[in-house]
């Protein structure tokens, strides 16, 4: 899913991705409990550059993530998946990956710059112009991520804090999986070391870094 957002000239099949992951020892059943391995796999199968972030989705990482998404680049987010595919907190027992492809900001009306253009169909939804400066953090009331998990039929809007909290508590391997008799590839240090507080930013291979001055779409 992330590959389709990178503007690649050729499709990479799921079979090829899985074959490379198996050959490199990143997975045994299709599982990926290491964000570092996921980043390495992305660079091996796609003409892209992967950047591994650690320390969660808040603080300095929040600004980097918002600018990354604003630039039109996707990211891969490990999280605990609830029955409706949204983030939940199960200590890593329901760990899955999602592709995040966009961001929606709820701003104070006074924070809208003249370069923002209102959507023709949805009142109160504004799209930034090329010269729009990024909003100041104090003007941002809400943040939502546009995300999709592989089993979901459609993208969803997730509260940023909800995604952060789910990502930050990935600490344990599911006991049910541990006792099912199958072999899984888990990194040294377990799920906590492999997934907790980590995310993978993906860039097209010709892109050095996301555009720093383009703000995300905003809602009044």
């Amino acid at each position: 899913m992330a590959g389709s957002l990178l503007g690649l000239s050729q499709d990479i099949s799921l079979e090829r991705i899985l074959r490379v992951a198996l050959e490199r020892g990143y997975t045994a059943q299709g599982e990926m409990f290491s964000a570092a391995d996921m980043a390495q796999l992305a660079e091996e199968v796609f003409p892209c550059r992967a950047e591994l972030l650690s320390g969660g989705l808040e603080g300095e990482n929040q600004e980097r993530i918002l600018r990354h998404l604003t630039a039109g680049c996707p990211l891969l987010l490990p999280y605990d998946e609830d029955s409706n595919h949204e983030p939940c907190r199960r200590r890593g027992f329901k760990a899955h990956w999602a592709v995040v492809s966009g961001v929606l900001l709820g701003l104070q009306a006074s924070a809208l710059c003249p370069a923002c253009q209102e959507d023709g169909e949805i009142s109160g939804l504004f799209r930034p112009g090329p010269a729009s400066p990024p909003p100041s953090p104090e003007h941002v009331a809400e943040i939502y991520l546009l995300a999709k998990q592989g089993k979901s039929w459609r993208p969803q809007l997730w509260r940023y804090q909800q995604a952060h909290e789910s990502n930050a508590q990935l600490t344990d391997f599911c006991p049910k999986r541990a006792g099912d008799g199958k072999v899984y590839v888990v990194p040294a240090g377990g799920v906590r070391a492999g997934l907790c507080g980590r995310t993978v930013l993906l860039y097209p291979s010709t892109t050095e870094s996301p555009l720093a001055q383009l703000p995300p779409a905003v809602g009044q």
Side-chain angles (χ1 to χ4, degrees):
M1 292 189 296
S4 67
L5 301 171
L6 292 171
L8 305 179
S9 59
Q10 59 179 333
D11 293 331
I12 307 297
S13 69
L14 179 60
E15 289 74 17
R16 180 184 173 188
I17 298 174
L18 180 58
R19 183 175 68 251
V20 174
L22 288 167
E23 292 173 350
R24 300 293 187 271
Y26 299 152
T27 186
Q29 310 292 336
E31 79 288 352
M32 289 291 288
F33 287 110
S34 167
D37 286 350
M38 181 68 89
Q40 184 64 35
L41 177 63
E43 292 188 339
E44 289 188 56
V45 298
F46 292 116
C48 75
R49 181 171 65 86
E51 179 184 3
L52 178 63
L53 294 186
S54 59
L57 277 62
E58 293 189 327
E60 294 182 359
N61 281 349
Q62 177 175 307
E63 181 178 357
R64 297 180 68 180
I65 288 170
L66 295 184
R67 291 186 184 278
H68 180 82
L69 294 171
T70 297
C73 297
L75 65 85
L76 305 178
L77 177 70
Y79 77 110
D80 266 337
E81 179 196 21
D82 211 340
S83 58
N84 62 357
H85 309 299
E86 293 185 3
C88 65
R89 290 179 287 178
R90 297 290 187 272
R91 296 167 48 197
F93 292 3
K94 298 293 184 179
H96 284 77
W97 287 87
V99 177
V100 180
S101 59
V103 63
L104 177 70
L105 299 182
L107 300 179
Q108 300 173 8
S110 59
L112 290 174
C113 68
C116 290
Q117 299 179 346
E118 188 167 10
D119 186 85
E121 298 181 0
I122 304 176
S123 177
L125 178 66
F126 291 81
R127 299 181 182 277
S132 300
S136 301
E138 61 268 21
H139 294 150
V140 178
E142 297 178 282
I143 305 175
Y144 291 87
L145 297 174
L146 182 65
K148 189 175 188 297
Q149 201 277 336
K151 294 181 293 184
S152 175
W153 287 99
R154 59 185 181 275
Q156 297 177 315
L157 280 177
W158 295 347
R159 289 188 300 105
Y160 192 94
Q161 184 64 25
Q162 180 185 18
H164 163 71
E165 291 174 355
S166 183
N167 172 263
Q169 53 84 66
L170 300 173
T171 57
D172 299 314
F173 189 70
C174 177
K176 184 177 180 180
R177 284 188 174 182
D180 66 8
K182 297 180 180 179
V183 175
Y184 296 98
V185 178
V186 180
V191 173
R192 182 189 296 272
L195 299 179
C196 186
R198 299 196 166 203
T199 189
V200 179
L201 310 185
L202 298 180
Y203 308 88
S205 58
T206 56
T207 303
E208 292 300 322
S209 62
L211 300 176
Q213 298 302 321
L214 295 181
V218 297
Q220 181 177 353

